Amino acid sequence: MTLYEELVARGLIAQVTDEEEIRTMIDQGKATFYIGFDPTADSLHVGHFMALTLMKRLQMAGNKPIALIGGGTAMIGDPSGRTDMRSMMTREIIQHNCDCFQKQMERFIEFGPDKARMVNNADWLLELNYVEFIREVGACFSVNNMLRAECFKQRMEKGLSFLEFNYMPMQSYDFYYLFQHYGCNMQFGGNDQWSNMLGGTELIRRKLGQDAHAMTIALLTDSQGNKMGKTAGNAVWLDPNKTSPYDFYQYWRNVEDADVMKCVRMLTFLPLEQIDEMDTWQGAQLNQAKEILAYELTKLVHGEQEAEQAQSAARALFSGGGDSSNMPATQLGCDDFIDGQIGVLTLLVRCGLAASNGEARRLIQQGGVSIDDQKLTDPNARLDRQDFAGEGLLLKKGKKVFHRARLDC
């Protein structure tokens, strides 16, 4: 099976331009391709997973990735899939986020001479003369066609600012610039970006001639990929300081039954033959598939040792086996106690199980908190310091979130 056939078999390809030429270039390792990442936070999240694993697959076959960090376009904000205007970020914040992205991407792809490279479109977009830009690039875009683009439709009802209307020409200019300066002949992106991506391909051909070989591939992120980004983009991060390896493992361990095999197929590097066999699994076997998914992705992001520890902790909690010492824990100091006691609301916030006392109170009132398997019913309850001696107390939020609170004083 060729690489392109594998991408199709894994359910990654939504639509393409020039399919036969794309197939040949990818299979022969001749593609220099880019994928864009908006630096809107200081960590990548699980919604980026499909793009990251795709870059790794293509590089392993000899193709050259370009990770484009949108430091310039982030000054405007992509209106695709949004109902309101994105808040503006300073250049300093954007640069910090870019630096964080590169450290995380190095887990997936190899940077270096004649390997992968990272570029920031702020380097060229922020230097553009606006009048020259609209003369050179703006003339290549039909406003009528832009207004019909899917990326603008949702915003048209609430109002689309002229600032955001510039996003498509600017993203298109990225491909044009990379084509000229880095020999980038292919771009990948989410299916919801198709209109923007076509704009780049068309700009290259209009400026450099119809024979310019610039091609576009949309990934099938309108299904599972977008689902991951929307439901977890603000909670499940690749940075272990924001989402622990255990919580990262648990996120994948708890995916819905209907999604587990989609995730295994699209995101892991397991052989397709093994995945095809797993596709026949039903009932309790799906839990085994979820364990495999969680382990493989945690290993990919955090390393084998962290994946082993996370799996062992999860099994200790849910299956009665494994090492529970690896579950997330908070060490409480003497300063956390007043007159030798700590309120349960304070405890939940201190352990990161609630963002505020109000949220902690609601969790308790809704019956969603247990301490050492005893349901907590009184939000005004207080715990003595000696209660945390030894292994500490095991806190449980809902059915699947566990946390141990220990005494360290």
Side-chain angles (χ1 to χ4, degrees), residues 247 328-332 336 342 344-355 388 393-395 397 401-406:
D247 288 330
T330 296
Q331 304 293 332
L332 300 176
D336 291 307
I342 185 172
V344 291
L345 301 182
T346 301
L347 178 63
L348 291 175
V349 173
R350 178 72 172 78
C351 293
L353 298 179
F388 297 87
L393 296 179
L394 180 62
L395 310 180
K397 183 176 78 171
V401 178
F402 292 83
H403 197 97
R404 191 172 291 281
R406 296 191 178 99

Side-chain angles (χ1 to χ4, degrees), residues 84-97:
D84 54 3
M85 186 170 169
R86 176 181 291 163
S87 60
M88 298 293 103
M89 297 185 295
T90 65
R91 293 191 185 189
E92 291 75 19
I93 292 176
I94 291 173
Q95 185 57 53
H96 170 72
N97 293 349

